Amino acid sequence: MRVTHLRRQALLAALAAFVSIPLAAFSQQPSTAPADIVIKDATVMTASHGTIPHGSVWVHDGKIAGVGTSVNAPASATVIDAAGKYVTPGIVDPHSHSALGDDVNEATSPVTPALMMVDAFDNSDKALYQALAGGVTTELLLHGSANMIGGQAVVIKNKFGLSRDAMLFPNAPRSIKFASGENPKRVYGGRNESPSTRMGNFAVMRQAFEDAKAYTASWDLYNAKVKRGDKDAVAPKRDLKLDALADVLAGKMYVQIHCYRADEFLTEEALAKEYGYKIRAFHHALEMYKVGDKIAPTGTAIATFADWWGYKDEAWDAIPWNAVMSMREGVRVALKSDSNDYIRRLNQEAGKMIHYGGATEEEALQMITINPAWIIGVDDRIGSIDTGKDADLVIWDKDPLSTYARAEKVYIDGDLFFDSAQPGFGTTHFSGPMHEAGFGGADDDGDAQ
Amino acid sequence: MKRILTAFVTVAVSYCALCAQAPRPTSHVVGKPGDLTMNVNGDAAGPVAITGGKLLTVTHGVIENGVIVLSGGKIAAVGGPGTAIPKGAQIVDAKGMTVYPGLVDAETNLGLIEIEADLSSNDLVETSDEIMPQMQVAEAFHAETVRIPVARLNGVTNAIVAPASEDSVAGRDAFIQLYGHDRDQMILGRDVALAMNFSGEQRRQARRGNPPKYPSTRMGLATQLRQAFLDAQNYEQTMAHDTEKQNADKKAPPKRDLKLEALLPYLKGEKPVVLGAHEGYEVEVAMELAQEFHLKVILSHVEHSQDVLDKISSYHVPVIVGPIYTAPAPNERYDAVYSLPAQLQKRGVKIAIASYDTQNVRNLPYAAGYAVAYGLPYDEALKAITLNPAEMFGWGDKLGSLDVGKMANVVIANGDPLDVKTDVKQVYIQGIAVSMESRQTKLRDAYMKK
């Protein structure tokens, strides 16, 4: 029973002795991934152009170089025989609060757009590892829902074990979190502050946008004076909050709105139209099935739960058919976790969509890959198995849309970050305190490998 | 939109025979408590023969192309294609379908809360004291909860309803079926087990500006529990003595103490105690206490007890595991909790899997399926949500398998009951094809047809 444990300790000791790298938790260099990898003979679920039985995926320098029944990889490529297994794109979670500790909500003012979630990002959070083991390769880490206008999100690639900087999704578009409904009402109303009603919610937002417009106008005036050569022009004072709001109104950020009720989707869209910004996605959106036909033409997507319901008033009309019904109305639909628990098995949440409303397998898979990638604004780089995209791939032992699948290997940019066959915890780049604790749980018997 | 409508119409046509016998809503009460041999209209549930399906019997394997006959609320016959079908029985064609016993959730809070954020609907636990054996779940159980039809649609027919875990002794569990006209038809057993907890949550530590009060530590919790059990034993002796004396003196009987009295059946081992603990050391401390007072234990939770699994098996008590979705501790493998059902079962422990929930009761079969992904044999997973929990609470002879003489709680689904992709088509409870509507399906249909 202790053999595996001892073996692991020995391995780590050997590693420390011979490679002479300290067993420090972070900032290891990524292991050099082989330039060419071919995952062979798998059921390849592309999420963009159907499923390829006995298909292959060729990875070259961290990108997908080919996919099909055969690929033109060089003979030197490392071949991974995946017969009987399934390959999907890495799972993308468009709504996570992992790795933000207890810093999710700056619930001291209903308008806090200057805040950057990256400033709270703790890359050592074990929730990241647990999500990685569930096949999640990209996450949008959002501010909480206490504020009508919250902070700016950070997009990460789940390269658990690497440094903070190495985990940031390079050049990802900026997103900002808005909220509506019960949460801001409860937080500020509970202190006898505004907003305490939905009327108050929207009034707070409108005032913030008016402030931003005036700020933008003052800068426009100043810039015009400078352009005219006015040497006496005085620059307005920089205000981080108004800078951020001005960027929202200028369309420089994707607006991600926590919103449950059908009437609120309509109000939010009207407000967006009034101030000239676009809403990228409604998050939660449990009542979208009621007004999907009205929202579809706006192009706003939803990031919803598969079957959560009834935990508060605005979730009382939630139904598990919401995702598929909204999709059939033409709304782009993603599933998301909003939870360190569900993020570990979003593939099963997608599988439920076959049960609740009859999504096809590809539609279900798209809800946790390409569609959330679109919400984040990185669908040109991840979210499907297509040539030229980042090699973020998961090898599953069984049908990933069933209850029974386990992620066996998880690749990000062609590099292996999780391997269930590795001794210990299955991570490839992490050798920190978790490993040193030396307690392997189920792996002690070796039968969970 | 059109595609989905077509899909639903197809289903509706295929199952019109099943839909036709869903009971009509009515307001008059019939039947004895817990007796649904007549449906809510007062009609006797006629014999039904479900034919052609794959029967997962739980006790005697899988029968392909099987026949199961439901009559008088009970299972009247189970067998292969040659099984005799009584004259006049309604034939339900289940070709291509899987037929299995109604699922039993070993711990839920069904009927004790409606909307989590709405405090006025909350009857989860009485926290004014830590020792509350006089609390009866049956007296708070809200039979009309919207949660029940939703759970039923995924094949859950029976459940234990327990109070939440913030008390050391939180009250007495009820055993329910998820169908019936009123509380009396739905509660099959009023006081089937004592809900006991030793997980640290019961400590009255300083909170929201209030100072701590006893017991604010695990030492305090254990001491308080031991004292309560001693008090109850002492109470029984004193009561017996005083009653005898006062009878002799022709005086009024001594005053009852309902709290201590409520502990007695459990101290005598007449009924089980569901003992919730999470960490290994909590399990050990709580079991020492339970053994000292000869309690009949069902262990519960044990998610972070990997270090004492062999010891747990040596107790020879059944275990309700999970929820298996509990996150592992930071030093545990990602699959440490997912694998627990397999690890315990392998050691010969009888296990049940529970949702411990209200909104996610319908996901009970998926938890069992996920345990299969992490090493639990399939048959044992199905048992863990059918026969095993029924047996733990004394209902094993009436429920939990497709066997002649048992309650006709039967589910027809279009595939593997433990898979997320599977759709349940019809649920029978005591032989009645229950309505496959819920508040959620009504909302779906209302907005689908617009």
Side-chain angles (χ1 to χ4, degrees):
Chain A
M1 178 162 166
R2 296 275 95 187
V3 171
T4 313
H5 162 62
L6 290 172
R7 199 168 57 215
R8 183 167 65 242
Q9 290 300 317
L11 189 81
L12 290 173
L15 209 70
F18 293 111
V19 192
S20 71
I21 51 165
L23 286 180
F26 303 109
S27 305
Q28 284 182 203
Q29 290 306 304
S31 66
T32 315
D36 289 282
I37 306 169
V38 175
I39 302 169
K40 207 184 86 184
D41 202 17
T43 301
V44 179
M45 302 169 79
T46 64
S48 58
H49 56 286
T51 294
I52 307 164
H54 304 289
S56 293
V57 184
W58 168 27
V59 175
H60 175 73
D61 281 347
K63 303 278 182 202
I64 295 166
V67 55
T69 44
S70 63
V71 290
N72 295 318
S76 61
T78 304
V79 175
I80 293 160
D81 182 2
K85 301 185 192 301
Y86 294 73
V87 179
T88 66
I91 293 174
V92 180
D93 188 348
H95 190 125
S96 166
H97 305 295
S98 298
L100 299 173
D102 55 1
D103 291 323
V104 174
N105 268 305
E106 178 63 43
T108 53
S109 159
V111 181
T112 59
L115 307 189
M116 313 286 272
M117 300 319 288
V118 69
D119 294 333
F121 172 52
D122 170 10
N123 63 318
S124 72
D125 188 339
K126 304 303 187 298
L128 296 170
Y129 153 67
Q130 290 157 12
L132 175 69
V136 174
T137 54
T138 296
E139 298 180 37
L140 180 66
L141 304 183
L142 292 164
H143 190 272
S145 52
N147 301 343
M148 291 306 294
I149 299 177
Q152 297 177 40
V154 57
V155 189
I156 62 155
K157 282 217 176 186
N158 204 354
K159 298 179 175 179
F160 186 69
L162 295 193
S163 67
R164 260 174 108 256
D165 289 347
M167 290 182 73
L168 302 181
F169 197 115
N171 305 312
R174 295 161 72 195
S175 275
I176 187 165
K177 174 77 176 291
F178 285 14
S180 62
E182 289 177 24
N183 289 8
K185 261 170 49 120
R186 189 186 65 245
V187 168
Y188 296 100
R191 302 170 192 164
N192 204 21
E193 293 170 11
S194 185
S196 65
T197 61
R198 284 182 170 80
M199 304 167 292
N201 283 349
F202 289 111
V204 161
M205 283 176 80
R206 202 173 260 116
Q207 184 59 55
F209 293 139
E210 289 301 330
D211 294 348
K213 276 167 67 179
Y215 178 75
T216 303
S218 68
W219 273 100
D220 288 349
L221 190 66
Y222 166 75
N223 288 331
K225 281 182 184 170
V226 170
K227 205 173 175 185
R228 278 202 311 269
D230 182 347
K231 294 213 166 50
D232 298 329
V234 181
K237 180 174 168 287
R238 281 265 322 271
D239 182 313
L240 293 176
K241 173 174 156 180
L242 296 173
D243 270 345
L245 286 172
D247 283 353
V248 169
L249 294 183
K252 292 180 183 168
M253 277 193 251
Y254 287 143
V255 176
Q256 315 281 357
I257 309 186
H258 158 114
C259 191
Y260 281 86
R261 257 175 32 182
D263 58 291
E264 285 178 300
F265 305 140
L266 302 178
T267 309
E268 288 283 4
E269 289 289 359
L271 199 69
K273 198 171 171 194
E274 183 181 337
Y275 285 95
Y277 59 90
K278 292 275 290 175
I279 302 167
R280 189 67 168 183
F282 289 118
H283 292 241
H284 311 313
L286 298 183
E287 290 190 13
M288 186 54 73
Y289 68 96
K290 296 182 178 178
V291 291
D293 56 339
K294 289 214 166 94
I295 299 301
T298 68
T300 303
I302 63 170
T304 189
F305 294 121
D307 61 359
W308 290 31
W309 69 291
Y311 41 94
K312 52 180 172 173
D313 284 349
E314 60 191 359
W316 190 233
D317 277 5
I319 62 173
W321 297 273
N322 179 51
V324 176
M325 283 171 72
S326 301
M327 178 178 73
R328 297 283 180 246
E329 294 282 11
V331 178
R332 191 188 308 261
V333 177
L335 299 175
K336 47 92 190 197
S337 75
D338 192 14
S339 150
N340 286 348
D341 172 11
Y342 282 74
I343 195 170
R344 301 178 296 157
R345 51 197 149 84
L346 279 168
N347 58 308
Q348 290 182 27
E349 300 302 280
K352 287 177 183 171
M353 296 302 99
I354 295 167
H355 166 192
Y356 294 116
T360 65
E361 290 197 346
E362 181 142 289
E363 285 168 342
L365 185 60
Q366 286 171 340
M367 288 185 189
I368 54 169
T369 53
I370 192 72
N371 291 356
W374 183 88
I375 287 173
I376 300 173
V378 291
D379 53 314
D380 56 335
R381 289 146 72 186
I382 61 165
S384 64
I385 303 183
D386 282 297
T387 301
K389 283 198 163 178
D390 294 355
D392 296 358
L393 300 164
V394 185
I395 302 179
W396 306 85
D397 63 340
K398 300 206 172 63
D399 172 8
L401 298 172
S402 77
T403 314
Y404 302 111
R406 298 167 56 171
E408 289 194 341
K409 288 183 165 61
V410 183
Y411 294 86
I412 306 178
D413 293 329
D415 192 7
L416 184 64
F417 280 88
F418 177 80
D419 183 349
S420 65
Q422 295 255 354
F425 293 85
T427 54
T428 56
H429 293 68
F430 184 92
S431 59
M434 186 170 72
H435 278 196
E436 286 162 12
F439 181 68
D443 76 304
D444 280 346
D445 294 67
D447 56 359
Q449 301 290 334
Chain B
M1 185 72 195
K2 202 174 167 196
R3 271 171 75 185
I4 200 165
L5 266 179
T6 315
F8 273 95
V9 168
T10 314
V11 169
V13 169
S14 320
Y15 297 96
C16 56
L18 299 171
C19 308
Q21 54 170 354
R24 297 179 296 276
T26 180
S27 59
H28 70 273
V29 181
V30 293
K32 301 191 294 284
D35 175 9
L36 280 179
T37 50
M38 290 186 292
N39 72 15
V40 291
N41 294 321
D43 309 326
V48 174
I50 302 166
T51 63
K54 174 181 176 180
L55 309 185
L56 311 181
T57 67
V58 176
T59 47
H60 53 285
V62 175
I63 304 174
E64 299 285 352
N65 192 18
V67 172
I68 178 164
V69 179
L70 320 181
S71 181
K74 300 242 181 337
I75 296 173
V78 184
T83 306
I85 295 171
K87 234 180 171 170
Q90 183 203 359
I91 310 285
V92 175
D93 181 5
K95 203 162 287 164
M97 298 280 146
T98 305
V99 181
Y100 51 98
L103 308 181
V104 183
D105 194 330
E107 185 162 332
T108 72
N109 304 124
L110 284 171
L112 296 185
I113 190 160
E114 202 68 44
I115 301 177
E116 280 87 343
D118 175 8
L119 290 181
S120 60
S121 75
N122 183 336
D123 291 311
L124 285 171
V125 63
E126 185 79 18
T127 53
S128 52
D129 191 2
E130 300 77 38
I131 309 289
M132 286 291 199
Q134 69 275 37
M135 296 299 138
Q136 300 181 50
V137 157
E139 296 185 331
F141 174 67
H142 181 221
E144 293 78 22
T145 172
V146 166
R147 306 284 186 172
I148 281 183
V150 171
R152 198 169 65 200
L153 287 188
N154 275 11
V156 181
T157 60
N158 295 83
I160 292 290
V161 182
S165 53
E166 284 87 345
D167 288 341
S168 296
V169 175
R172 280 126 75 186
D173 299 352
F175 187 64
I176 63 161
Q177 65 181 15
L178 278 70
Y179 178 72
H181 180 267
D182 57 26
R183 185 194 77 154
D184 290 340
Q185 285 190 338
M186 296 175 78
I187 297 177
L188 301 184
R190 264 183 91 92
D191 296 318
V192 296
L194 188 70
M196 187 173 152
N197 302 289
F198 189 75
S199 60
E201 284 169 86
Q202 301 78 30
R203 290 172 293 174
R204 297 336 192 204
Q205 294 171 308
R207 225 173 62 176
R208 294 196 193 103
N210 294 323
K213 74 181 226 7
Y214 179 79
S216 68
T217 59
R218 285 184 177 78
M219 301 87 81
L221 292 174
T223 304
Q224 189 191 39
L225 272 167
R226 189 171 274 116
Q227 187 66 55
F229 291 142
L230 288 171
D231 288 351
Q233 286 176 338
N234 181 57
Y235 168 76
E236 191 182 25
Q237 287 167 9
T238 313
M239 273 303 266
H241 175 262
D242 290 359
T243 306
E244 199 178 324
K245 189 167 179 295
Q246 289 183 254
N247 277 347
D249 297 349
K250 297 203 166 26
K251 283 187 186 162
K255 189 179 159 194
R256 291 165 65 195
D257 183 324
L258 297 179
K259 175 173 154 179
L260 296 177
E261 189 179 295
L263 286 173
L264 295 178
Y266 299 97
L267 281 169
K268 292 175 188 162
E270 291 166 6
K271 291 178 181 180
V273 171
V274 178
L275 179 49
H278 299 282
E279 309 276 338
Y281 75 101
E282 292 171 345
V283 171
E284 292 182 281
V285 172
M287 280 305 298
E288 263 172 40
L289 194 69
Q291 287 175 331
E292 183 182 334
F293 290 93
H294 309 290
L295 303 180
K296 184 179 166 191
V297 171
I298 300 170
L299 267 175
S300 182
H301 295 305
V302 308
E303 303 102 309
H304 305 300
S305 304
Q306 288 89 345
D307 47 343
V308 297
L309 292 183
D310 290 333
K311 194 161 185 188
I312 288 176
S313 80
S314 76
Y315 295 138
H316 301 290
V317 300
V319 179
I320 303 169
V321 197
I324 74 161
Y325 300 132
T326 301
N331 66 340
E332 289 174 353
R333 252 179 83 104
Y334 69 100
D335 57 359
V337 186
Y338 298 149
S339 328
L340 262 189
Q343 292 295 323
L344 286 165
Q345 191 275 332
K346 201 170 71 179
R347 288 168 171 80
V349 178
K350 178 186 280 189
I351 56 158
I353 291 170
S355 71
Y356 296 95
D357 206 355
T358 53
Q359 61 159 301
N360 292 313
V361 172
R362 63 177 164 198
N363 290 336
L364 177 69
Y366 314 145
Y370 213 24
V372 173
Y374 288 92
L376 184 66
Y378 183 92
D379 294 349
E380 296 296 333
L382 189 59
K383 251 192 210 170
I385 53 172
T386 53
L387 188 60
N388 287 359
E391 284 179 349
M392 287 180 194
F393 292 93
W395 290 78
D397 56 339
K398 297 189 184 68
L399 283 166
S401 63
L402 300 183
D403 280 299
V404 172
K406 285 198 170 179
M407 281 186 186
N409 291 6
V410 177
V411 182
I412 305 176
N414 68 353
D416 174 3
L418 308 189
D419 192 9
V420 284
K421 289 190 280 197
T422 300
D423 205 16
V424 170
K425 298 301 182 186
Q426 184 59 56
V427 175
Y428 293 84
I429 295 182
Q430 295 203 41
I432 292 173
V434 303
S435 165
M436 295 304 284
E437 273 191 339
S438 69
R439 185 170 182 278
Q440 296 196 336
T441 65
K442 286 176 191 163
L443 279 164
R444 176 195 68 196
D445 296 343
Y447 286 93
M448 193 93 80
K449 284 170 190 147
K450 76 184 171 186

